[in-house]
Amino acid sequence: PHDLLQLSRTTKTLRAFLMSKSNCFALWEGALQRMELPPVIGELNEPQYVSLVFDNFCSHCGNEEKTHIMWEVRMRICKECLDKGIM
């Protein structure tokens, strides 16, 4: 799934194709099933879920250090933002 996400970030054409539910829903779903991850939660679509799981940057500030997923709000947050009371 992470490879699909990275590929979708290379060109506008690939992004449009890979983000289209009508074209690629089965592709994203199959990639997630092979990883044995928990099912997609809440209102997240498959690419958003993959980004949450595999990207390492804070959803609030973009920091890539010491982040962790806050599943209840479907965000990845860094220690610095957490300490500031952002969440």
Side-chain angles (χ1 to χ4, degrees):
H2 191 240
D3 290 339
L4 283 174
L5 186 64
Q6 294 301 327
L7 190 59
S8 75
R9 293 173 175 167
T10 58
T11 68
K12 289 180 181 180
T13 303
L14 276 172
R15 180 171 184 80
F17 177 76
L18 290 171
M19 295 299 170
S20 169
K21 276 201 174 251
S22 62
N23 290 331
C24 292
F25 177 76
L27 185 63
W28 285 97
E29 191 175 64
L32 284 169
Q33 287 174 353
R34 282 190 291 283
M35 293 296 296
E36 298 181 12
L37 293 169
V40 177
I41 54 173
E43 65 278 354
L44 294 178
N45 61 36
E46 286 77 7
Q48 290 169 330
Y49 180 72
V50 170
S51 178
L52 178 65
V53 172
F54 291 101
D55 284 340
N56 291 321
F57 56 86
C58 175
S59 300
H60 183 71
C61 73
N63 186 0
E64 292 186 21
E65 294 183 25
K66 300 179 183 175
T67 63
H68 69 277
I69 298 172
M70 296 187 67
W71 291 104
E72 58 278 358
V73 292
R74 292 170 289 289
M75 290 179 66
R76 182 175 286 275
I77 193 150
C78 68
K79 184 176 179 344
E80 201 171 291
C81 286
L82 196 56
D83 290 344
K84 287 180 184 176
I86 301 299
M87 287 306 308

